[in-house]
Amino acid sequence: MTAIRQNSEFSCDVDVDCLIIGGGAAGLTAALAAENRGLSVLVAEREDKLSGSTALSSGLIPAAKTKAQMRQKLDDDQECFIADIMAKNENTADIANVKRCVLAVSQAIDWLEDSYDIPFHVLDSFLYPGHSRYRMHAVPEVTGAALITRLEQAAIKRDIFISCNLKVTELVISEDGRICGAQAVRPDGSIENIGASSVILACNGYGGSPELVSQHIPEMKEALYFGHPGNQGEAIIWGEALGAKLLHLSGYQGHGSVAHPHGVLVTWALMMEGGVQVNLDGQRFSNEHKGYSEQAVNVLSQPQKIAFNIFDERLLGLGRDFEDFRNAEAAGAVTTADTIEELAIKLGLPPESLSKTLNMCAAHASSGRPDQFGRMFKTETLLQPRFAAVKVTGALFHTQGGLAIDDKARVIRNDGSVIMGLFACGGAACGVSGPDVSGYLSGNGLLTALALGYVAGNAV
Ligand SMILES: Cc1cc2nc3c(=O)[nH]c(=O)nc-3n(C[C@H](O)[C@H](O)[C@H](O)COP(=O)(O)OP(=O)(O)OC[C@H]3O[C@@H](n4cnc5c(N)ncnc54)[C@H](O)[C@@H]3O)c2cc1C
């Protein structure tokens, strides 16, 4: 049971300047930044190895005006990035936090490259929904697992102490309300008391807690959770006990394209480049270009909570650029056929209906007008034989609400005062997506992980 403890009976087994709770992208970025300033740092990770949702992710980080963009001669500016984020969340996110994240993420990416030899490039073969420019940065492997490995290697080179199998259970505060450490437990039940003048909460959100999901995001209480199970919501539980301000707890990232029953992410690039989603009646039900996050809800509203991604040979090639997609294909999730009727039969869909759906897409493209859901089709990306499909469902990826912070990533109370010594970053802090699933712009997750990790590590 997680709690807050006054420090009267607290005697430390170890004492550091900065304790970081959670070893995902946020925690490791914060650790590197704090160590860079000469502080002693301990990263406590509850699992036996570093992963978090970061390692499960596609590892794509949006940023504007980076050296990587300049190398690839990609034009972008931070005002445009801010405008894209605010347009997606319909101006419900805190603009100061958005500006802070947009500025800091570019600094963090350039700094990780220059100081730790972590190379980034920008994906420039298609635009993610809601982004006006090419700005999705990735390490060469284009996976979240490689991002974590590279951050971990950088931390090890700097002798940052990362302790796995160390689950923090309580924060410890002094009588005057300042954070002074934490208590943690090992898998064998032994207790470790860690003294720290600053504690950074980098333990993500509460997607792994069915109780908290039911409470704050009831529409996803029965949905598949696709993030890391270690994310149990301690940041908001501790924060609440300390009188911290909690914001946008109903906000989250969903995804409408997880191969079913294989449980593998199928890239949304397929939809952005001409693919469509249909239900068991062979009919489209939404504008796929609005975003993959809200599409989780749209897919879960269909009969049997499933949909089919329909695409073609050209998009099969694009999909294969992504490791997840290759894994889905290897698991047998992709069905192909020479004609749309044959594809429908293989999928158990009404052939006439599926054929009519594609004809309507062609008619919308020729008309030059948006379809009934608001999507614009282009003649050059209309699907052509051979066709392909994946059966998918919707899932909860991670939560977006969390602790309110100030410009130094310090956790603030409801009355606006700062909880001295306590910082939050990544999914532990309130994100930039507002209170609704539709506010999530692609990449908002790793944006706040790297940006606020960088801010917190530089502020402790
Ligand atoms: C399938 C998938 C694909 C995604 N793709 C993208 C993408 O391409 N781009 C993007 O921007 N976002 C993406 N996301 C979201 C992104 O992964 C997260 O927003 C991001 O990884 C959050 O980073 P974090 O460091 O805050 O949390 P995490 O990486 O989850 O790290 C938190 C760590 O804290 C540990 N922890 C929790 N509680 C404790 C405790 N009490 N004591 C000790 N340790 C604790 C956890 O075990 C975990 O390792 C994706 C998510 C999923 C699930």
Side-chain angles (χ1 to χ4, degrees):
M1 183 66 195
T2 51
I4 304 295
R5 179 158 19 125
Q6 297 283 339
N7 80 340
S8 42
E9 78 277 30
F10 188 60
S11 81
C12 320
D13 302 307
V14 57
D15 211 347
V16 289
D17 296 322
C18 177
L19 167 66
I20 295 173
I21 305 175
L28 293 177
T29 306
L32 290 167
E35 187 278 339
N36 193 37
R37 296 176 49 242
L39 304 180
S40 59
V41 178
L42 167 63
V43 178
E45 167 57 52
R46 76 193 303 163
E47 303 295 325
D48 60 359
K49 60 178 184 349
L50 297 189
S51 161
S53 286
T54 303
L56 308 179
S57 79
S58 311
L60 304 177
I61 312 153
K65 277 272 171 245
T66 58
K67 292 182 180 175
Q69 276 182 326
M70 283 179 226
R71 279 197 301 275
Q72 291 176 239
K73 301 193 177 13
L74 296 170
D75 180 41
D76 198 1
D77 66 73
Q78 296 184 340
E79 287 308 314
C80 170
F81 185 16
I82 291 166
D84 285 348
I85 294 173
M86 294 308 287
K88 191 75 177 82
N89 66 49
E90 296 184 342
N91 293 314
T92 55
D94 172 15
I95 182 74
N97 196 28
V98 173
K99 288 183 176 172
R100 181 183 306 137
C101 288
V102 166
L103 180 67
V105 76
S106 309
Q107 293 170 340
I109 284 182
D110 287 349
W111 165 75
L112 287 170
E113 251 187 7
D114 292 345
S115 304
Y116 302 97
D117 292 328
I118 300 181
F120 287 97
H121 69 285
V122 181
L123 269 58
D124 58 2
S125 50
F126 61 93
L127 278 173
Y128 274 83
H131 284 284
S132 330
R133 307 282 165 79
Y134 296 118
R135 56 169 79 106
M136 285 298 191
H137 292 66
V139 292
E141 302 84 354
V142 196
T143 62
L147 176 65
I148 274 293
T149 303
R150 286 174 178 273
L151 288 169
E152 183 179 11
Q153 283 166 352
I156 290 169
K157 266 194 199 153
R158 297 292 167 121
D159 286 334
I160 292 172
F161 190 41
I162 299 172
S163 190
C164 288
N165 284 319
L166 188 60
K167 176 185 167 189
V168 176
T169 51
E170 295 181 31
L171 295 185
V172 180
I173 56 167
S174 64
E175 273 81 23
D176 61 359
R178 202 194 146 84
I179 296 295
C180 55
Q183 187 172 83
V185 63
R186 292 284 177 192
D188 65 4
S190 59
I191 301 286
E192 287 182 24
N193 289 325
I194 306 153
S197 40
S198 297
V199 172
I200 299 179
L201 300 173
C203 43
N204 207 334
Y206 51 91
S209 161
E211 298 76 33
L212 290 172
V213 170
S214 298
Q215 189 183 338
H216 299 294
I217 315 175
E219 75 264 28
M220 294 305 274
K221 70 178 179 199
E222 280 162 18
L224 170 72
Y225 171 55
F226 212 60
H228 194 268
N231 300 325
Q232 294 287 324
E234 280 96 336
I236 64 164
I237 294 169
W238 292 325
E240 198 165 27
L242 287 166
K245 186 172 179 180
L246 299 170
L247 280 176
H248 294 164
L249 294 184
S250 54
Y252 66 100
Q253 182 204 353
H255 208 295
S257 181
V258 174
H260 181 74
H262 312 82
V264 187
L265 176 64
V266 178
T267 175
W268 205 246
L270 304 181
M271 296 299 120
M272 298 311 291
E273 290 300 308
V276 294
Q277 281 198 321
V278 299
N279 58 19
L280 277 167
D281 298 325
Q283 291 170 354
R284 288 179 56 239
F285 48 88
S286 61
N287 174 0
E288 299 88 345
H289 285 188
K290 267 195 141 179
Y292 51 66
S293 182
E294 55 269 58
Q295 198 67 5
V297 181
N298 292 332
V299 169
L300 290 171
S301 316
Q302 300 310 305
Q304 296 182 28
K305 302 183 194 296
I306 56 160
F308 296 85
N309 292 353
I310 308 291
F311 49 104
D312 62 8
E313 192 95 0
R314 170 182 61 90
L315 294 175
L316 201 51
L318 175 62
R320 287 176 182 147
D321 286 346
F322 295 83
E323 188 180 86
D324 284 331
F325 187 89
R326 294 194 296 272
N327 292 339
E329 199 175 8
V334 180
T335 304
T336 55
D338 289 331
T339 66
I340 200 67
E341 290 79 11
E342 186 193 338
L343 186 76
I345 291 164
K346 283 187 175 178
L347 299 173
L349 306 180
E352 246 179 52
S353 172
L354 186 59
S355 175
K356 191 173 161 202
T357 295
L358 290 205
N359 289 339
M360 281 167 71
C361 298
H364 291 307
S366 318
S367 78
R369 287 195 302 274
D371 70 1
Q372 70 273 34
F373 305 112
R375 173 168 168 179
M376 291 293 296
F377 281 91
K378 294 188 215 153
T379 45
E380 59 272 27
T381 54
L382 286 174
L383 302 181
Q384 306 291 341
R386 285 188 99 229
F387 295 99
V390 180
K391 185 180 182 182
V392 296
T393 189
L396 167 63
F397 271 25
H398 69 289
T399 54
Q400 281 285 289
L403 298 160
I405 52 168
D406 72 359
D407 58 348
K408 293 188 168 66
R410 295 181 296 187
V411 176
I412 55 175
R413 296 189 183 86
N414 280 312
D415 64 6
S417 63
V418 165
I419 300 176
M420 293 307 290
L422 191 63
F423 299 75
C425 54
C430 177
V432 292
S433 306
D436 190 77
V437 62
S438 61
Y440 185 87
L441 182 70
S442 318
N444 274 2
L446 285 171
L447 165 66
T448 58
L450 266 80
L452 297 177
Y454 181 77
V455 171
N458 276 300
V460 284

Short mmCIF file of all heavy atoms in Angstrom, two decimals, residues 10-19 40-42 44 161 163 166 180-184 186 191-197:
data_model
loop_
_atom_site.label_atom_id
_atom_site.label_comp_id
_atom_site.label_asym_id
_atom_site.label_seq_id
_atom_site.Cartn_x
_atom_site.Cartn_y
_atom_site.Cartn_z
N PHE A 10 12.61 8.08 10.42
CA PHE A 10 13.26 7.69 9.16
C PHE A 10 14.78 7.69 9.28
O PHE A 10 15.40 8.73 9.52
CB PHE A 10 12.83 8.69 8.07
CG PHE A 10 13.26 8.31 6.68
CD1 PHE A 10 12.85 7.12 6.09
CD2 PHE A 10 14.06 9.17 5.94
CE1 PHE A 10 13.24 6.81 4.80
CE2 PHE A 10 14.44 8.86 4.66
CZ PHE A 10 14.03 7.68 4.07
N SER A 11 15.41 6.53 9.14
CA SER A 11 16.87 6.54 9.08
C SER A 11 17.29 5.90 7.76
O SER A 11 16.81 4.81 7.40
CB SER A 11 17.46 5.79 10.28
OG SER A 11 17.44 4.43 10.05
N CYS A 12 18.15 6.59 7.01
CA CYS A 12 18.42 6.18 5.63
C CYS A 12 19.47 5.09 5.54
O CYS A 12 20.46 5.11 6.25
CB CYS A 12 18.97 7.34 4.80
SG CYS A 12 18.22 8.87 5.12
N ASP A 13 19.25 4.16 4.56
CA ASP A 13 20.27 3.18 4.22
C ASP A 13 21.23 3.77 3.19
O ASP A 13 22.37 3.37 3.09
CB ASP A 13 19.61 1.93 3.62
CG ASP A 13 18.62 1.31 4.57
OD1 ASP A 13 19.01 1.06 5.73
OD2 ASP A 13 17.45 1.11 4.20
N VAL A 14 20.72 4.69 2.42
CA VAL A 14 21.53 5.32 1.37
C VAL A 14 21.03 6.77 1.23
O VAL A 14 19.85 7.05 1.46
CB VAL A 14 21.41 4.53 0.04
CG1 VAL A 14 19.99 4.40 -0.43
CG2 VAL A 14 22.25 5.16 -1.06
N ASP A 15 21.94 7.66 0.89
CA ASP A 15 21.59 9.08 0.79
C ASP A 15 22.07 9.62 -0.56
O ASP A 15 23.25 9.46 -0.88
CB ASP A 15 22.28 9.84 1.93
CG ASP A 15 21.46 11.03 2.37
OD1 ASP A 15 20.52 11.37 1.63
OD2 ASP A 15 21.77 11.60 3.43
N VAL A 16 21.18 10.19 -1.35
CA VAL A 16 21.59 10.76 -2.64
C VAL A 16 21.02 12.17 -2.77
O VAL A 16 20.10 12.56 -2.04
CB VAL A 16 21.08 9.90 -3.84
CG1 VAL A 16 21.81 8.59 -3.92
CG2 VAL A 16 19.57 9.69 -3.76
N ASP A 17 21.58 12.93 -3.74
CA ASP A 17 21.00 14.25 -4.00
C ASP A 17 19.62 14.09 -4.64
O ASP A 17 18.70 14.83 -4.34
CB ASP A 17 21.89 15.05 -4.97
CG ASP A 17 23.26 15.34 -4.37
OD1 ASP A 17 23.31 15.61 -3.16
OD2 ASP A 17 24.26 15.29 -5.12
N CYS A 18 19.53 13.13 -5.55
CA CYS A 18 18.31 13.04 -6.35
C CYS A 18 17.88 11.59 -6.53
O CYS A 18 18.62 10.78 -7.09
CB CYS A 18 18.58 13.69 -7.71
SG CYS A 18 17.19 13.60 -8.82
N LEU A 19 16.68 11.28 -6.06
CA LEU A 19 16.09 9.96 -6.28
C LEU A 19 15.09 10.09 -7.42
O LEU A 19 14.22 10.97 -7.40
CB LEU A 19 15.37 9.48 -5.02
CG LEU A 19 14.45 8.27 -5.20
CD1 LEU A 19 15.24 7.01 -5.58
CD2 LEU A 19 13.62 8.02 -3.93
N SER A 40 24.54 13.47 -7.22
CA SER A 40 24.48 12.01 -7.10
C SER A 40 23.03 11.58 -7.34
O SER A 40 22.09 12.20 -6.81
CB SER A 40 24.96 11.56 -5.72
OG SER A 40 24.16 12.14 -4.71
N VAL A 41 22.88 10.55 -8.16
CA VAL A 41 21.54 10.18 -8.63
C VAL A 41 21.31 8.68 -8.42
O VAL A 41 22.20 7.87 -8.69
CB VAL A 41 21.40 10.49 -10.16
CG1 VAL A 41 20.05 10.06 -10.68
CG2 VAL A 41 21.64 11.97 -10.43
N LEU A 42 20.12 8.33 -7.98
CA LEU A 42 19.71 6.93 -7.92
C LEU A 42 18.38 6.79 -8.68
O LEU A 42 17.42 7.52 -8.40
CB LEU A 42 19.51 6.49 -6.46
CG LEU A 42 18.78 5.16 -6.23
CD1 LEU A 42 19.54 3.98 -6.83
CD2 LEU A 42 18.56 4.91 -4.74
N ALA A 44 15.37 4.35 -9.18
CA ALA A 44 14.73 3.15 -8.62
C ALA A 44 13.68 2.65 -9.60
O ALA A 44 12.78 3.40 -9.99
CB ALA A 44 14.06 3.49 -7.29
N PHE A 161 23.61 5.37 -10.86
CA PHE A 161 23.22 4.13 -10.20
C PHE A 161 21.75 3.82 -10.51
O PHE A 161 20.85 4.55 -10.12
CB PHE A 161 23.46 4.25 -8.69
CG PHE A 161 23.31 2.94 -7.98
CD1 PHE A 161 23.82 1.76 -8.52
CD2 PHE A 161 22.66 2.86 -6.76
CE1 PHE A 161 23.69 0.53 -7.88
CE2 PHE A 161 22.51 1.64 -6.11
CZ PHE A 161 23.03 0.49 -6.67
N SER A 163 18.92 1.05 -9.93
CA SER A 163 18.61 -0.12 -9.11
C SER A 163 17.26 -0.71 -9.53
O SER A 163 16.21 -0.11 -9.29
CB SER A 163 18.59 0.29 -7.64
OG SER A 163 18.52 -0.87 -6.85
N LEU A 166 13.46 -2.57 -7.35
CA LEU A 166 13.33 -1.67 -6.19
C LEU A 166 12.05 -0.85 -6.39
O LEU A 166 12.03 0.14 -7.14
CB LEU A 166 14.56 -0.76 -6.11
CG LEU A 166 14.68 0.11 -4.85
CD1 LEU A 166 14.75 -0.76 -3.58
CD2 LEU A 166 15.93 1.00 -4.91
N CYS A 180 11.97 14.41 1.72
CA CYS A 180 13.34 14.10 2.14
C CYS A 180 13.72 12.65 1.84
O CYS A 180 14.75 12.18 2.31
CB CYS A 180 13.55 14.45 3.61
SG CYS A 180 12.39 13.67 4.70
N GLY A 181 12.95 11.95 1.05
CA GLY A 181 13.35 10.61 0.65
C GLY A 181 12.15 9.72 0.38
O GLY A 181 11.03 10.20 0.19
N ALA A 182 12.43 8.42 0.38
CA ALA A 182 11.37 7.46 0.09
C ALA A 182 11.73 6.12 0.70
O ALA A 182 12.88 5.85 1.00
CB ALA A 182 11.21 7.31 -1.42
N GLN A 183 10.70 5.30 0.87
CA GLN A 183 10.93 3.93 1.30
C GLN A 183 10.63 3.00 0.12
O GLN A 183 9.67 3.25 -0.62
CB GLN A 183 10.04 3.57 2.47
CG GLN A 183 10.39 2.21 3.06
CD GLN A 183 9.62 1.96 4.35
OE1 GLN A 183 8.48 1.55 4.31
NE2 GLN A 183 10.25 2.20 5.49
N ALA A 184 11.47 1.98 -0.04
CA ALA A 184 11.28 1.07 -1.16
C ALA A 184 11.38 -0.37 -0.67
O ALA A 184 11.93 -0.63 0.40
CB ALA A 184 12.32 1.34 -2.23
N ARG A 186 12.21 -4.56 -1.76
CA ARG A 186 12.79 -5.53 -2.70
C ARG A 186 11.81 -6.70 -2.86
O ARG A 186 10.95 -6.91 -1.98
CB ARG A 186 14.12 -6.07 -2.12
CG ARG A 186 15.23 -5.04 -2.05
CD ARG A 186 15.83 -4.78 -3.41
NE ARG A 186 16.85 -3.75 -3.38
CZ ARG A 186 17.35 -3.18 -4.47
NH1 ARG A 186 16.92 -3.52 -5.67
NH2 ARG A 186 18.28 -2.26 -4.38
N ILE A 191 13.25 -4.00 3.17
CA ILE A 191 12.91 -2.57 3.02
C ILE A 191 14.20 -1.77 2.87
O ILE A 191 15.19 -2.04 3.56
CB ILE A 191 12.17 -2.07 4.29
CG1 ILE A 191 10.90 -2.89 4.52
CG2 ILE A 191 11.90 -0.58 4.25
CD1 ILE A 191 9.76 -2.58 3.58
N GLU A 192 14.18 -0.77 1.97
CA GLU A 192 15.33 0.14 1.87
C GLU A 192 14.85 1.58 2.02
O GLU A 192 13.89 1.99 1.36
CB GLU A 192 16.05 -0.05 0.53
CG GLU A 192 16.82 -1.35 0.53
CD GLU A 192 17.62 -1.59 -0.75
OE1 GLU A 192 17.96 -0.63 -1.45
OE2 GLU A 192 17.88 -2.78 -1.01
N ASN A 193 15.52 2.31 2.90
CA ASN A 193 15.18 3.72 3.10
C ASN A 193 16.18 4.59 2.34
O ASN A 193 17.38 4.48 2.55
CB ASN A 193 15.25 4.06 4.59
CG ASN A 193 14.10 3.43 5.35
OD1 ASN A 193 12.99 3.31 4.83
ND2 ASN A 193 14.35 2.99 6.58
N ILE A 194 15.67 5.42 1.46
CA ILE A 194 16.54 6.24 0.61
C ILE A 194 16.35 7.71 0.99
O ILE A 194 15.24 8.25 0.83
CB ILE A 194 16.19 6.04 -0.88
CG1 ILE A 194 16.22 4.55 -1.23
CG2 ILE A 194 17.14 6.83 -1.79
CD1 ILE A 194 15.33 4.17 -2.39
N GLY A 195 17.41 8.33 1.46
CA GLY A 195 17.34 9.76 1.74
C GLY A 195 17.67 10.53 0.46
O GLY A 195 18.57 10.14 -0.28
N ALA A 196 16.91 11.59 0.17
CA ALA A 196 17.17 12.38 -1.04
C ALA A 196 16.62 13.78 -0.85
O ALA A 196 15.50 13.95 -0.36
CB ALA A 196 16.48 11.72 -2.24
N SER A 197 17.42 14.78 -1.25
CA SER A 197 16.89 16.14 -1.10
C SER A 197 15.90 16.48 -2.21
O SER A 197 15.10 17.40 -2.07
CB SER A 197 18.03 17.16 -1.04
OG SER A 197 19.03 16.81 -1.95
#
